[in-house]
Amino acid sequence: MKKTYLLGAIAAATMVAGAASAQATLEAVKARGELICGSNTGLTGFGAPDANGTWAGFDVDLCRAIAAAILGDATKVKFVPTTGETRFTALQSGEVDVLIRNSTWTATRDSELALDFVAVNYYDGQGFMVKKDLGVSSAKELDGATVCIQTGTTTELNLADFFKQNNISYQPVTIADDAEGQRQYLAGACDAYTTDASGLAASRATLPDAENHIILPEIISKEPLGPVVRHGDNNWGDIVRWTYYSLLVAEEKGITKANVEEVAASTTDEEVKRLLGTSGDMAVKFGLDADAFKRAILAGGNYGEIFAANIGEGTSINLARGLNALWTQGGLQYAPPFR
Amino acid sequence: MALAHDAPKDSFRLSMLIYDTRYRAITIQVFVLILVAAFFAWLLNNTIENLAIRGKEFNYGFLWQRAGYDIGQQLIPYTNDSTHFRALLVGLLNTLVVAVLGCIFATILGVVIGVLRLSKNWLVSRLMTVYVEVFRNVPVLLWILLAYVILSEVTPSPRDFKAAEGVEPAASMILGETVAVTNRGTNIPAPLVDHSLGGFEIGGIPINFTVLAFVAVLVMSFWANARILTAARLRQEATGDRPTTWWKSLLVLFVPVIALSVILGLHWEIPALAGFNFKGGILVAHSFTALLVALTLYTAAFIAEIVRAGILAISKGQSEAAFALGLRPGRTMQLVILPQALRVIIPPLISQYLNITKNTSLGIAVSYLDLRGTLGGISLNQTGRELECMLLMMAIYLTLSLSISTVMNFYNKSVQLKVR
């Protein structure tokens, strides 16, 4: 008798647990009133807390745009710092709703890790940073060098491939995150530090003697970085994807944070009307409010504004748009039509 | 006519399971057992269901795929083309080498400190007290980090060894120009042989005949030496006069190894500065040295206390009796006190050995790629198989610890008081 009750209780408990994890992410975020965003533990320009403890950066602003689209308030984001090692587990286990933490889109991560990369918000490639007085001008001259490398990243595998292809040797020093990598590199524990070129630029910007460090010209891999969601919740993936695209379309159509209200009132462009929610119910189809994408643009501006404010030329990171320019300006950033 | 009835033969009723003291204990045990089994069944079921929700299956197939990453310290040949299983083996060996060396050094240091702490010399005993209290009361992780930072901050960079025009290099090699200490590691000479005996692999585990030959010769030498010493002792006990053994011991211990070295053409490869780093020889990374030094110093403090407790547990009458027989204090300690103290020392010593073995996993803090760093670190990350890697890693650590305690328990039995 007792046993039956027990089994019944176990079955019930299991069903409750199962139901909870199957609940759609959008409903969970709305019910919570807060978006939980997996972010970097601290990479200046992309995602790092500032002196007041407020998170800021290129990736962080996308999190804020998504929060604004869903909840109407760009500040309702909780940032959970994740390392290269813990980020995907944090996402899979439901600890974070979306991971926007310069993560590279690869086939393995899409298939075996059961994750979905929904867009590419930064086209990057792996590079090397060395001290100027090392006298090296190409990565192919690094034969026998000690290289600091973040563990749990695609860069680890690219590095092994690059040295093998060029038939040169190296000594790896594995490190857990960017801060430790910088410390080891500056202490001279390694000759070269390798990670995504954007990350190197960000690291270099924070060095007191940035002019004594150079980033080598070789880009040894393709690193498309983008927001990641769990596989299986397609609607949630669509929301993240199209919030990002709304920022791209905004730049393409010249809609900025400053003029979005004005444009919404005066525009005659049907696509802009659909985007800003003044005609049709584009956002409602995703389960959001009609003006969701307008709020996303209001949060931090369009893609170009976010880029310029955090990592663009003129900031300490000083990255050119390059591949990340709009398709209309010879770059790769291209959004499908809002129709 | 029967005067007394037999007690009524009770037929078994279900309520007796609770109210009858004969059955109650069993009932409770069975009930608790079912609860425990149900709990584990629930855990297992939960895991399977959640894995199914995420579309992941439990599979160890990834162990045979190409690893694709490099490992700094490798005791067996490994490249990024090797499998994850091979990376696991490299990591396991890195764990073992720290654990074994750590146990040996910590024991030696611990015994010396434990004995010295009981010294009548005020300064020595106080110094040892300070050592023990400082080392065992600060987390070992901090000691590891401290050792690593000291090693990498105070040592010169490889570039300082370069001789510039007319300028003396800022740093030079030590020990007769054979060892170079840089801020990355210590470069020591590597033994090489001209005529390798070859080797083969069993299930991915490489067997090197050259190494085996040296190990075999050394074991035989020590065994023969032990035989010589035993024979001398028996002779001394029987006749009272001890035959000279030193030249026999030297002969047995050194000649076979030297002969083997000559036959195989053993020579040393001296590290030399080439490009960015020293090339040739063996690079002992600072992560390894820091981990080993910190674990040794930390655990030695505990072992010292265990040894001190063991010695204090021996009654004072034993040493008084030994002194009365005319034994000097050193001989008393060696022949009378320590052998008896071992009975008290060994069991807690086993725990310390297990602690060292498990604490090697803290090497992750200084990027030491042990089992935790390869299987539980990079392999886990690159394949995304957390559950499989964690379970396998736990099983390996468990096996390792149980093996150590089994061996040590045998030793413990051999030193226990024999009751005849």
Side-chain angles (χ1 to χ4, degrees), chain B residues 185-405:
Chain B
T186 309
N187 296 79
I188 58 171
L192 291 181
V193 290
D194 290 331
H195 318 288
S196 173
L197 294 178
F200 65 99
E201 293 208 359
I202 312 176
I205 301 164
I207 309 283
N208 187 330
F209 283 128
T210 318
V211 176
L212 274 187
F214 274 98
V215 170
V217 166
L218 279 177
V219 168
M220 298 254 282
S221 296
F222 276 101
W223 177 76
N225 185 42
R227 284 292 300 267
I228 292 173
L229 291 182
T230 315
R233 188 173 54 81
L234 289 177
R235 177 88 183 272
Q236 184 181 19
E237 276 168 11
T239 65
D241 104 278
R242 190 179 173 86
T244 357
T245 55
W246 64 267
W247 61 271
K248 285 188 211 158
S249 288
L250 282 183
L251 212 65
V252 166
L253 283 179
F254 288 99
V255 170
V257 174
I258 293 172
L260 185 65
S261 305
V262 171
I263 293 169
L264 294 182
L266 181 85
H267 59 271
W268 297 88
E269 188 189 34
I270 312 286
L273 192 60
F276 301 103
N277 283 313
F278 278 87
K279 285 241 175 80
I282 299 172
L283 172 70
V284 184
H286 280 327
S287 51
F288 170 82
T289 321
L291 184 63
L292 181 60
V293 167
L295 281 181
T296 301
L297 294 180
Y298 177 79
T299 315
F302 288 90
I303 293 181
E305 284 300 273
I306 291 169
V307 169
R308 191 169 69 104
I311 292 172
L312 289 180
I314 307 304
S315 105
K316 204 157 182 271
Q318 295 285 325
S319 43
E320 282 168 355
F323 291 152
L325 287 173
L327 287 177
R328 280 171 283 117
R331 298 287 281 172
T332 308
M333 183 58 80
Q334 190 189 343
L335 292 175
V336 179
I337 309 291
L338 273 184
Q340 298 186 73
L342 271 185
R343 287 170 201 145
V344 186
I345 291 172
I346 300 293
L349 193 62
I350 302 177
S351 302
Q352 292 306 326
Y353 285 175
L354 298 183
N355 275 345
I356 288 192
T357 311
K358 289 176 292 178
N359 282 345
T360 53
S361 60
L362 290 172
I364 194 80
V366 288
S367 313
Y368 183 66
L369 284 185
D370 61 346
L371 186 65
R372 164 73 182 80
T374 55
L375 175 68
I378 305 180
S379 287
L380 182 156
N381 272 306
Q382 300 296 2
T383 59
R385 303 209 166 260
E386 303 90 359
L387 196 65
E388 289 92 335
C389 286
M390 282 298 161
L391 286 179
L392 184 59
M393 198 162 62
M394 284 161 71
I396 292 176
Y397 274 117
L398 189 67
T399 315
L400 213 59
S401 295
L402 288 179
S403 320
I404 293 173
S405 50

Side-chain angles (χ1 to χ4, degrees), chain A residues 144 146 153 164 170 174 191, chain B residues 54 70 81 184 277 367 382:
Chain A
T146 308
T153 61
K164 201 171 87 172
Y170 74 108
T174 40
D191 298 304
Chain B
R54 281 176 214 148
D70 287 293
D81 284 327
R184 283 123 200 220
N277 283 313
S367 313
Q382 300 296 2

Side-chain angles (χ1 to χ4, degrees), chain A residues 14 21 85 89 92 113-114 133 136 141 143-144 146 151 153 156-157 160 164 170-171 174 184 188-189 191, chain B residues 31 42 45 49 53-54 56 66 68 70 72 80-81 148 159 183-184 276-277 367 378 381-384 386:
Chain A
T14 322
S21 56
E85 282 192 311
T89 316
Q92 284 164 342
L113 294 189
D133 59 3
V136 170
E141 296 167 20
D143 190 13
T146 308
T151 185
T153 61
E156 201 161 35
L157 307 182
K164 201 171 87 172
Y170 74 108
Q171 181 76 22
T174 40
Q184 298 256 29
D191 298 304
Chain B
F31 182 66
W42 176 74
N45 186 35
E49 274 195 12
I53 287 171
R54 281 176 214 148
K56 294 177 115 185
R66 178 176 178 266
D70 287 293
N80 54 49
D81 284 327
Y148 184 72
R159 231 181 312 160
N183 58 358
R184 283 123 200 220
F276 301 103
N277 283 313
S367 313
I378 305 180
N381 272 306
Q382 300 296 2
T383 59
E386 303 90 359

Side-chain angles (χ1 to χ4, degrees), chain B residues 142-215:
Chain B
L142 300 187
W143 288 120
I144 295 173
L145 288 173
L146 182 72
Y148 184 72
V149 170
I150 290 178
L151 280 172
S152 52
E153 296 282 338
V154 306
T155 45
S157 91
R159 231 181 312 160
D160 294 338
F161 289 82
K162 225 174 261 172
E165 199 97 6
V167 186
E168 277 289 297
S172 57
M173 295 170 78
I174 53 172
L175 295 182
E177 297 282 300
T178 53
V179 175
V181 185
T182 72
N183 58 358
R184 283 123 200 220
T186 309
N187 296 79
I188 58 171
L192 291 181
V193 290
D194 290 331
H195 318 288
S196 173
L197 294 178
F200 65 99
E201 293 208 359
I202 312 176
I205 301 164
I207 309 283
N208 187 330
F209 283 128
T210 318
V211 176
L212 274 187
F214 274 98
V215 170

Side-chain angles (χ1 to χ4, degrees), chain A residues 276-323:
Chain A
L276 299 181
T278 51
S279 112
D281 54 354
M282 193 60 74
V284 179
K285 287 176 187 159
F286 291 106
L288 304 172
D289 301 334
D291 64 343
F293 295 130
K294 188 172 96 185
R295 295 192 309 231
I297 299 165
L298 267 172
N302 63 38
Y303 180 82
E305 286 179 274
I306 293 176
F307 194 102
N310 293 302
I311 51 178
E313 284 161 345
T315 64
S316 59
I317 319 275
N318 201 16
L319 289 169
R321 282 294 286 268
L323 287 177

Side-chain angles (χ1 to χ4, degrees), chain A residues 127-281:
Chain A
F128 296 89
M129 176 162 69
V130 296
K131 295 191 178 105
K132 217 174 221 169
D133 59 3
L134 199 65
V136 170
S137 59
S138 157
K140 288 178 184 161
E141 296 167 20
L142 285 174
D143 190 13
T146 308
V147 182
C148 277
I149 174 94
Q150 278 191 52
T151 185
T153 61
T154 47
T155 49
E156 201 161 35
L157 307 182
N158 297 332
L159 181 71
D161 289 350
F162 174 76
F163 276 85
K164 201 171 87 172
Q165 274 163 18
N166 288 294
N167 210 10
I168 50 181
S169 67
Y170 74 108
Q171 181 76 22
V173 174
T174 40
I175 45 149
D177 59 23
D178 201 64
E180 195 198 340
Q182 261 188 47
R183 194 180 60 73
Q184 298 256 29
Y185 167 72
L186 286 178
C190 43
D191 298 304
Y193 178 37
T194 180
T195 184
D196 298 339
S198 62
L200 287 180
S203 291
R204 185 169 170 270
T206 59
L207 297 179
D209 57 338
E211 68 279 4
N212 292 334
H213 303 268
I214 52 170
I215 295 172
L216 298 177
E218 278 87 356
I219 296 294
I220 65 168
S221 68
K222 287 188 289 186
E223 306 285 338
L225 312 178
V228 200
V229 298
R230 280 181 291 277
H231 184 79
D233 191 347
N234 293 353
N235 184 42
W236 177 247
D238 287 342
I239 290 170
V240 175
R241 177 183 296 123
W242 284 94
T243 306
Y244 171 66
Y245 284 151
S246 73
L247 303 181
L248 275 186
V249 172
E251 187 185 5
E252 194 181 325
K253 300 279 182 187
I255 309 168
T256 64
K257 190 177 175 178
N259 72 6
V260 59
E261 295 289 358
E262 186 192 323
V263 171
S266 64
T267 185
T268 53
D269 186 329
E270 280 304 317
E271 189 175 7
V272 174
K273 280 186 179 172
R274 283 192 295 271
L275 172 70
L276 299 181
T278 51
S279 112
D281 54 354

